[in-house]
Amino acid sequence: MKRLVGIVAPLALIAVLLGAWEAACRILAIPAYFLPPPSAVAAALVAEAATLTRSALNTLAMAMAALALAAVAALGLALVSAFSFTVERAVRPLALALQVTPMIAVAPLVAIWAGVAHPERAVVALASLAAFFPIFSGALTGLQSADRDLHRLFALYGASRRQTLFRLRVPASAPFVVEGLRVAAGLAVIGAVVAEFVAGSGAAQGLAWRILEAGNRLQTARMLAAIVALALLAGLLHLGFTLVERRFFGRWLENKHALGVD
Amino acid sequence: MAAVAALNAVEVDYPGPKSGRWRALGPFDLVLNAGETVSLVGPSGCGKSTALRLLAGLEAPTRGEVVRAAGRGETALVFQSPTLAPWLDAAANVALPLELAGVGKAAARRRAIEALARVGLAEAASSAPRALSGGMAMRVSLARALVTEPRLLLLDEPFAALDETVRRRLADDMLALVAELGCAACFVTHNVEEAVYVGSRVVVMTPSPGRTAYETAVTAPLPRPAGFRATPLFRDTAETVSARLAQAMEGASA
């Protein structure tokens, strides 16, 4: 019953809002360039389906390339930090500075470095900057999350630092890394869109390009259709990572309490 | 009897609030001989677990001396919770100490399965920790402690989270395994009856900082004969230990 409510309630709210929006547009005769009715957005979605899908795949490809780059850098750095307290202390403030600096402020700089001829490089670079911190922070937290008594056992059995890292700390960090990747995937999409706004598109035009292009032509329904496609893309990515998390780590995490190994 | 480990007038201080330090344990003396199980009983926070960590060599005393004839690889520790790695199956958890000591994977797993069989869990070798009941998980933990055939077995309230029937059965199994190995065991608990049942000696500790308030020998064979809990020896010793524990606690609060 709760599950049914969880599905029906948000759908009902969306239906009510869309209905109100449609009615308002018709009754108040709002101009289509200002606010097109949802029916017009739906029509644009259908008409532009092929282009939007192509652009969504381009954005997805760049976000995933960025996620992979960020994961390699963040996991590598987290591993080195786990080995050395000095490195961890040295890296943390820099990683934090990277996280709190607004990406949009850095974007023009990265666009210059990437070169006018290679805007897609700027997009990938900026998206990986956006994705870096949650993975790094998740991995670092995860590497420090192993049970204290398990650490004592490893010490008792004379485990080397390498053994403790790879046989205790790394496996214990896995659920945290997946959680970090889930958050980072969303940020990578946001990063890819913001970067495309600033650095522009190369041959591979992403959803940001579609939004800008429609906006410049005052084709607001197409603009909204591209935004809907973007929201769908981000939603599907989030769902994918949540499913992976549940499939592999759900019961493991649930049982941490039962076993007292939290 | 040969001493496997001993604490000689050890004291442990921890940093307290502000710049002060507080005494967690001692001065405290304890000798563990091969083939005997010593029960440490005392109120929460009296330093029982600290004493165990000293014996394990995981912590150093602030003052006093720890003598350890059993090396690190010959010492095993069982905690209050089973402390199993959730990413390993039962046999891999048991094999862990062997693998860390450099035993090959296949040989370690074979010995782990034998150890699981000794605690009655041969069929659970491939089970994930999450699939085990509390009692089964604690048996896996016991198998992991015994797989290296330790000379010194340290148990920190291992059965505290289990129900009465399970803890009684596990206590008997533990005593049988300890007797089979001939190792020295130190069993920390705050359950007086359990302390008397498993201990060939029972040491009552004072509240923090823990010192010896009373010590007595329980002169019945280990593992305990059937019906031991109904004997006058068991009941009288438990009464005395209980009274001495109450006395120690009153003395501290007076």
Side-chain angles (χ1 to χ4, degrees):
Chain A
M1 183 62 198
K2 268 190 177 168
R3 212 179 150 158
L4 197 69
V5 172
I7 297 169
V8 173
L11 286 179
L13 180 64
I14 290 171
V16 169
L17 288 175
L18 287 177
W21 176 2
E22 183 79 38
C25 285
R26 284 169 194 258
I27 293 164
L28 302 173
I30 299 171
Y33 76 87
F34 187 77
L35 182 67
S39 55
V41 177
L45 258 176
V46 173
E48 299 280 323
T51 322
L52 285 177
T53 307
R54 207 165 46 242
S55 291
L57 287 176
N58 283 338
T59 299
L60 179 67
M62 280 194 270
M64 288 302 100
L67 188 66
L69 269 180
V72 169
L75 295 178
L77 212 53
L79 267 185
V80 177
S81 302
F83 238 121
S84 153
F85 182 72
T86 317
V87 174
E88 195 222 309
R89 286 293 124 143
V91 167
R92 243 187 206 279
L94 281 180
L96 199 68
L98 205 66
Q99 205 246 342
V100 296
T101 309
M103 203 182 11
I104 193 127
V106 192
L109 189 64
V110 176
I112 293 173
W113 289 341
V116 196
H118 300 290
E120 69 284 348
R121 288 186 193 168
V123 171
V124 172
L126 277 165
S128 25
L129 275 183
F132 176 83
F133 191 78
I135 309 175
F136 177 71
S137 161
L140 216 50
T141 308
L143 286 167
Q144 286 158 351
S145 73
D147 180 62
R148 270 179 64 169
D149 283 340
L150 269 176
H151 268 290
R152 289 194 177 117
L153 270 188
F154 271 66
L156 183 69
Y157 292 122
S160 65
R161 285 178 79 181
R162 201 185 144 85
Q163 282 176 318
T164 309
L165 181 64
F166 288 109
R167 306 207 53 171
L168 173 61
R169 298 177 69 185
V170 168
S173 75
F176 295 84
V177 171
V178 174
E179 166 72 16
L181 282 171
R182 182 164 64 88
V183 176
L187 288 177
V189 172
I190 296 173
V193 171
V194 169
E196 201 181 350
F197 277 150
V198 177
S201 314
Q205 290 157 345
L207 284 172
W209 173 261
R210 295 289 151 224
I211 294 170
L212 276 182
E213 185 201 26
N216 289 340
R217 296 180 188 175
L218 282 185
Q219 293 171 335
T220 316
R222 280 182 65 209
M223 208 173 161
L224 282 166
I227 292 172
V228 169
L230 192 57
L232 279 176
L233 175 66
L236 284 175
L237 260 180
H238 184 87
L239 187 69
F241 274 98
T242 306
L243 287 178
V244 168
E245 211 175 355
R246 283 215 192 132
R247 168 79 181 75
F248 291 103
F249 303 108
R251 288 205 290 169
W252 165 350
L253 291 173
E254 253 168 50
N255 280 271
K256 277 177 102 176
H257 285 288
L259 285 172
V261 290
D262 53 347
Chain B
M1 277 192 288
V4 176
L7 302 177
N8 296 331
V10 291
E11 294 174 32
V12 175
D13 294 347
Y14 289 126
K18 293 177 192 163
S19 59
R21 296 179 73 78
W22 66 279
R23 173 82 42 88
L25 178 71
F28 184 64
D29 295 280
L30 185 72
V31 179
L32 299 174
N33 296 307
E36 69 169 354
T37 305
V38 176
S39 292
L40 285 187
V41 56
S44 297
C46 75
K48 304 182 293 268
S49 301
T50 308
L52 274 200
R53 288 199 292 275
L54 292 178
L55 288 165
L58 291 171
E59 221 172 283
T62 314
R63 278 170 291 279
E65 184 193 25
V66 181
V67 183
R68 292 161 39 85
R72 279 216 159 175
E74 296 170 319
T75 305
L77 199 51
V78 178
F79 302 97
Q80 183 176 347
S81 66
T83 321
L84 304 176
W87 56 90
L88 299 175
D89 68 13
N93 265 292
V94 176
L96 194 64
L98 296 173
E99 287 183 25
L100 290 176
V103 177
K105 235 183 160 75
R109 190 161 179 99
R110 201 174 53 243
R111 279 173 65 185
I113 291 170
E114 282 167 20
L116 280 171
R118 291 223 300 256
V119 297
L121 277 182
E123 76 290 348
S126 307
S127 302
R130 62 168 186 263
L132 304 172
S133 68
M136 286 164 91
M138 191 41 86
R139 278 175 191 275
V140 175
S141 185
L142 206 53
R144 178 179 58 192
L146 297 171
V147 75
T148 52
E149 305 195 341
R151 290 175 65 197
L152 177 61
L153 177 63
L154 307 168
L155 305 111
D156 194 355
E157 303 192 33
F159 311 143
L162 304 173
D163 61 57
E164 191 59 24
T165 4
V166 178
R167 68 194 288 165
R168 283 192 178 194
R169 212 164 47 220
L170 267 172
D172 281 326
D173 291 352
M174 192 240 353
L175 287 177
L177 292 163
V178 165
E180 198 182 311
L181 281 174
C183 64
C186 185
F187 189 94
V188 161
T189 178
H190 49 226
N191 180 324
V192 169
E193 298 210 335
E194 192 171 65
V196 174
Y197 190 80
V198 302
S200 43
R201 267 192 295 142
V202 178
V203 174
V204 176
M205 290 175 76
T206 63
S208 176
R211 289 179 304 272
T212 304
Y214 175 70
E215 182 172 340
T216 183
V218 187
T219 52
L222 283 174
R224 300 303 191 198
F228 176 60
R229 282 190 179 85
T231 61
L233 172 66
F234 175 80
R235 275 178 293 163
D236 292 349
T237 315
E239 271 309 309
T240 314
V241 169
S242 208
R244 291 302 188 114
L245 181 62
Q247 212 176 345
M249 289 172 77
E250 269 168 32
S253 57

